[in-house]
Amino acid sequence: MNPLQELALLIQKGENQKAVNRADKLLQDSYSTKDIIGAASEGLRVLRDKCTVENFQLLDVLLASRAMAEVVDECVASKLKDTMDTLVANNAGNNGNNGGQPEKTIVIGTIEGDVHDLGKHIVSTLCRFNNFRVVNLGKDVPVDTFVKAAIKEKADFIGVSSLITVCLPAIKNIKTILEEKGYGHIKLVGGGSAVQQSCLETLNLDYLAYDAFDGLDYFCNSS
Ligand code: B12
């Protein structure tokens, strides 16, 4: 078993402290944040059969979720922060630019009816440490709340997450309402395993992200 598979197994078993220590060590051994997030996601992927409507082993899934969240908050975020601090320091010294002030705003949340928020939390963390201002609306967020928050916060993007198939239909209303109100320029980006099973046109999205890094690339490169 390679070191990333070992990390995935620790997360799957909900061994939070061991998972954090292992992830720290891997980052020191020059594994990337992408490797760590990939391994953590793999750890949860295998819990699929413990999280069905018929067979719901809540404790196992929650312990694994906690281990993943701690790895993201304690290891990945701190690594990303170090990288960003270095960049900001270099930029400030080199050309006296804005010292790393966020340039674009993302309003992000999980769609109404869905309480899965680990993936969205990863996206928020990645974006925050890549110089975006992130307004996190949380989970189970109604369409109107997305729209109002995006307008109030002068957002450039809305990120919407969904892992539950029956919650998908609401997503397409976000862009429709934005357009009706004259805010069609705000880009709508979807992610999460249910969204990935649908398509851009059905959900009325500007972009459908394959994973958090794909979403980040879009946020960074979209004008
Ligand atoms: C953990 C988990 C839970 C936890 C969630 C804890 C939490 N705080 O999030 C708990 C225990 C609460 C839970 C509850 C339920 N769950 Co559940 N859960 C899972 C599980 C095992 C892992 C999901 C996860 O977090 N994966 C890891 C993250 C990192 O992956 P991710 O969300 O896909 O995110 C990545 C990308 O998709 C992307 N991304 C995600 N969002 C976004 C957004 C943007 C903008 C971008 C750019 C990218 C992006 O970034 C991430 C990193 O790359 C999945 C099974 C699976 N393998 O997916 C089932 C699963 C999602 N659950 C499922 C079900 C059925 C339920 C319940 C209905 C069970 C029940 N009997 O009540 C309830 C739902 C209650 C509700 N109303 O929401 C089903 C959904 C089936 C479906 N397609 O509709 C799944 C697929 C399991 C299965 N049997 O198939 N669950």
Side-chain angles (χ1 to χ4, degrees), residues 167-211:
C167 299
L168 284 178
I171 291 180
K172 63 176 182 309
N173 300 329
I174 299 179
K175 193 75 183 185
T176 309
I177 301 178
L178 283 172
E179 280 165 354
E180 280 167 11
K181 290 182 180 284
Y183 290 88
H185 61 278
I186 299 176
K187 303 253 170 63
L188 180 63
V189 180
S193 54
V195 170
Q196 282 159 25
Q197 287 165 33
S198 184
C199 66
L200 212 67
E201 295 74 22
T202 309
L203 300 178
N204 221 348
L205 298 173
D206 291 292
Y207 191 69
L208 196 162
Y210 171 68
D211 62 18

Side-chain angles (χ1 to χ4, degrees), residues 21-188:
N21 294 342
R22 184 64 58 92
D24 254 340
K25 172 92 175 54
L26 291 178
L27 286 168
Q28 280 163 24
D29 290 349
S30 62
Y31 281 89
S32 68
T33 51
K34 191 169 187 169
D35 293 332
I36 303 299
I37 288 173
S41 302
E42 192 50 42
L44 284 190
R45 214 175 334 267
V46 293
L47 290 176
R48 209 181 172 90
D49 294 339
K50 291 188 173 185
C51 196
T52 61
V53 176
E54 303 78 22
N55 175 30
F56 191 28
Q57 296 178 35
L58 181 61
L59 186 59
D60 286 355
V61 182
L62 283 181
L63 288 176
S65 302
R66 180 183 67 173
M68 175 177 206
E70 286 183 14
V71 165
V72 171
D73 289 347
E74 293 179 32
C75 311
V76 174
S78 113
K79 173 80 176 177
L80 291 170
K81 182 175 182 310
D82 289 348
T83 312
M84 185 159 160
D85 286 348
T86 312
L87 276 174
V88 169
N90 288 344
N91 278 339
N94 289 343
N95 54 21
N97 74 356
N98 67 4
Q101 285 301 307
E103 290 185 355
K104 289 186 177 168
T105 297
I106 305 169
V107 162
I108 192 165
T110 304
I111 195 70
E112 190 167 13
D114 189 343
V115 302
H116 296 87
D117 65 354
L118 295 170
K120 166 187 72 65
H121 181 56
I122 291 175
V123 179
S124 306
T125 304
L126 279 180
C127 292
R128 248 183 214 123
F129 292 116
N130 277 277
N131 216 21
F132 288 91
R133 184 170 80 95
V134 180
V135 179
N136 192 338
L137 302 177
K139 54 202 172 192
D140 191 14
V141 180
V143 167
D144 275 354
T145 308
F146 276 105
V147 172
K148 282 184 187 145
I151 294 172
K152 177 167 173 272
E153 300 292 343
K154 299 189 171 47
D156 301 282
F157 304 98
I158 293 178
V160 59
S161 182
S162 183
L163 277 75
I164 303 257
T165 319
V166 291
C167 299
L168 284 178
I171 291 180
K172 63 176 182 309
N173 300 329
I174 299 179
K175 193 75 183 185
T176 309
I177 301 178
L178 283 172
E179 280 165 354
E180 280 167 11
K181 290 182 180 284
Y183 290 88
H185 61 278
I186 299 176
K187 303 253 170 63
L188 180 63

